[in-house]
Amino acid sequence: MKKFASYLIPSLIASLLMSMYAIVDGIFVGQKIGDSGLAAINITWPITSFLQSIGTAFGLAGGITIQKLRGKDEVEKAQKIKLTTIVVIIILAVFFGLLFYLLRTPLLWGLGATETSFAYAHQYLKIILIGSVFQMLGMGILPLLKNSNKVKIAAAASLLSVFTNLSLDYVFIYVANLDLAGAALASVLAQVISFTVCILAYFKEFKGITMKKEVLIDLAKTSIAPFILSFSYSIVIIITNLVCTSFGKDEAVAAYTLLSYLSYILIALACAVGDSIQPLFSYNQVRKEYKENKKMLCTCILISFLICLITSLIMFIFKKQLGDLYNLSPTAKAYYYDGLIYYVIGALFVSFIKVAASYFYAIDAKLFANIIVFLEPFVLTPIGFLLFCFPFKLYGVWIGYIFVQVTLFLISLSLVMIKEKKLFQTTSNIIN
């Protein structure tokens, strides 16, 4: 249990801080610009999230691969994965940063920008893409640090990045009057500082590198699952932004921006519970310690549920203050109030869903994990909107959200029960 807590607690702190980092810009932008600025940030978020998700995915993939190799007593090979992971992230950052920079205009129109929000979104995205290397490295090195028992340093780096972003947001947006370009610059510089702290702490871990084809393929394959898990919510954001734009223009998108921020915090906390224990799940799976994994899974689910319950209640109690903090217009605030109760209730189901997906990925039950992750953005969300948005219009977006989470919870629960039954049978066979 002590080892469990040593992974979990700093990871929760780091994830909470990183989720706050993602929403700090919205506070300053809402106060300075209003609904159109908030809409612009939410429209560009999927691109930012794509970059950060790749960094996170390869960081987690590196950590999982290292633990698997250690479980097989291949220590020297495991050591070389550390620098290899960093180099791969840099290469991908340069590639995707340049690609998205060239395609930034059609991307923004395709993501739902309006005549009003496009200019703001464009100035924000340019800076984010120029700093894409640090966006991805800043996210990618955190899982590697946690995997090397440097979770406190990871949490400290996350905390430093939040305060840096908060301070620079004020300087660039208000003092320098740079609007969304200032918000983007603050975000990039915060990641630069976070990465610098992390790399200084991690530098001694680099003991060789391997760029063998089979190693790179294995890293890529392992990264697919956590990437989808991390980025899937952004696909939901894209779909929801487009629907909100159709029914309520920038005001509806601004309301959803705040709801997505709150939801992002809850998802980050639930994912942190599962992701932080992923290396232990993987290690135990290799050594066939299934009972230990089952006990950890039950503990993770309970912790995730309690954290999401308490956090969502706090959000609901302070809903008016949050609406004022983001300077929502009266119309946007009415939309936000309508949707909040559905997102608060949905958080209770999210607490189980995200832990289940992380668990499946860690024990190499990729089919079950992919079912959970793919269903929400590609199947259930479109179905939910089709069922409820035509009769209820914008209100149907909020109803559709709770429909998706309840359905996904029932499916996830069924898959966990099926997997545990199979593992129980495997354990019984080993004993016999």
Side-chain angles (χ1 to χ4, degrees):
M1 183 56 70
K2 186 177 180 181
K3 189 175 184 180
F4 182 100
S6 70
Y7 276 83
L8 177 63
I9 294 172
S11 180
L12 280 173
I13 295 171
S15 294
L16 179 60
L17 292 173
M18 290 310 296
S19 63
M20 288 174 59
Y21 165 86
I23 68 175
V24 164
D25 288 348
I27 297 173
F28 286 96
V29 169
Q31 290 292 331
K32 181 77 185 294
I33 301 171
D35 291 347
S36 295
L38 285 173
I41 281 202
N42 214 39
I43 286 164
T44 57
W45 170 248
I47 301 174
T48 304
S49 175
F50 181 90
L51 298 172
Q52 293 183 354
S53 295
I54 290 179
T56 300
F58 272 89
L60 284 170
I64 291 171
T65 302
I66 289 166
Q67 287 295 347
K68 285 182 179 178
L69 291 171
R70 284 175 177 170
K72 297 176 183 178
D73 295 323
E74 297 181 24
V75 179
E76 185 178 346
K77 193 173 180 181
Q79 285 292 101
K80 292 183 178 180
I81 300 298
K82 297 177 180 181
L83 182 56
T84 302
T85 303
I86 296 294
V87 172
V88 169
I89 291 174
I90 292 173
I91 293 170
L92 291 173
V94 172
F95 173 76
F96 283 111
L98 288 172
L99 178 65
F100 290 155
Y101 190 88
L102 294 173
L103 299 175
R104 64 190 184 280
T105 298
L107 276 174
L108 289 175
W109 287 119
L111 290 171
T114 64
E115 293 289 342
T116 308
S117 62
F118 176 82
Y120 292 122
H122 190 263
Q123 62 176 262
Y124 183 85
L125 184 60
K126 281 198 303 183
I127 304 297
I128 290 294
L129 293 176
I130 290 171
S132 59
V133 170
F134 293 103
Q135 290 281 335
M136 290 173 63
L137 284 174
M139 299 300 292
I141 198 169
L142 289 174
L144 289 171
L145 271 179
K146 296 173 191 175
N147 190 262
S148 294
N149 294 319
K150 292 180 171 63
V151 286
K152 292 181 180 178
I153 296 174
S158 299
L159 180 62
L160 182 60
S161 71
V162 169
F163 284 111
T164 301
N165 191 35
L166 183 65
S167 303
L168 294 181
D169 266 334
Y170 175 78
V171 172
F172 293 149
I173 296 175
Y174 281 92
V175 179
N177 204 33
L178 294 176
D179 292 337
L180 261 74
L185 186 58
S187 294
V188 171
L189 291 177
Q191 287 284 24
V192 170
I193 290 175
S194 176
F195 172 72
T196 302
V197 171
C198 291
I199 198 67
L200 289 174
Y202 198 63
F203 191 77
K204 291 182 180 179
E205 298 282 331
F206 297 150
K207 296 178 180 178
I209 184 173
T210 176
M211 300 299 285
K212 291 181 179 179
K213 183 179 178 180
E214 60 269 21
V215 173
L216 298 178
I217 291 174
D218 185 58
L219 269 179
K221 286 181 177 179
T222 308
S223 71
I224 292 173
F227 169 76
I228 295 171
L229 183 61
S230 179
F231 185 65
S232 61
Y233 184 62
S234 294
I235 299 173
V236 175
I237 288 178
I238 293 170
I239 298 171
T240 309
N241 278 340
L242 293 171
V243 175
C244 286
T245 300
S246 300
F247 289 118
K249 303 299 180 185
D250 284 348
E251 291 82 2
V253 178
Y256 174 62
T257 300
L258 179 49
L259 290 171
S260 67
Y261 282 162
L262 300 181
S263 182
Y264 182 75
I265 292 174
L266 294 165
I267 289 172
L269 291 172
C271 285
V273 175
D275 289 350
S276 64
I277 314 300
Q278 269 194 342
L280 292 180
F281 280 140
S282 300
Y283 183 83
N284 289 337
Q285 184 72 12
V286 170
R287 293 186 172 268
K288 296 182 172 57
E289 296 178 8
Y290 304 128
K291 287 185 179 180
E292 185 64 25
N293 266 356
K294 183 178 181 180
K295 187 163 65 172
M296 284 201 305
L297 176 61
C298 292
T299 304
C300 283
I301 290 170
L302 178 60
I303 292 172
S304 180
F305 176 81
L306 292 174
I307 290 173
C308 288
L309 174 63
I310 294 169
T311 307
S312 59
L313 285 175
I314 292 172
M315 291 173 177
F316 188 76
I317 292 169
F318 292 99
K319 63 180 180 181
K320 183 182 183 302
Q321 289 84 350
L322 287 168
D324 293 338
L325 183 63
Y326 283 84
N327 194 29
L328 296 178
S329 67
T331 301
K333 195 174 288 186
Y335 293 148
Y336 156 66
Y337 287 155
D338 286 341
L340 183 60
I341 185 63
Y342 294 96
Y343 278 77
V344 166
I345 295 172
L348 305 181
F349 300 101
V350 167
S351 67
F352 179 89
I353 294 164
K354 298 304 178 183
V355 170
S358 293
Y359 171 67
F360 285 140
Y361 282 134
I363 65 171
D364 210 27
K366 293 178 182 177
L367 176 60
F368 284 2
N370 289 336
I371 288 173
I372 295 174
V373 173
F374 275 98
L375 276 178
E376 181 173 8
F378 298 114
V379 180
L380 294 178
T381 296
I383 289 175
F385 287 169
L386 286 172
L387 287 174
F388 300 107
C389 286
F390 284 108
F392 301 109
K393 296 186 178 179
L394 184 61
Y395 203 85
V397 173
W398 322 136
I399 300 173
Y401 174 79
I402 198 68
F403 160 80
V404 170
Q405 302 311 320
V406 171
T407 305
L408 201 55
F409 165 76
L410 294 173
I411 293 170
S412 301
L413 180 61
S414 300
L415 293 175
V416 168
M417 293 173 67
I418 291 169
K419 187 62 181 177
E420 287 305 310
K421 184 177 179 180
K422 288 182 178 179
L423 290 176
F424 175 78
Q425 291 173 347
T426 302
T427 304
S428 299
N429 292 335
I430 292 172
I431 293 173
N432 294 331

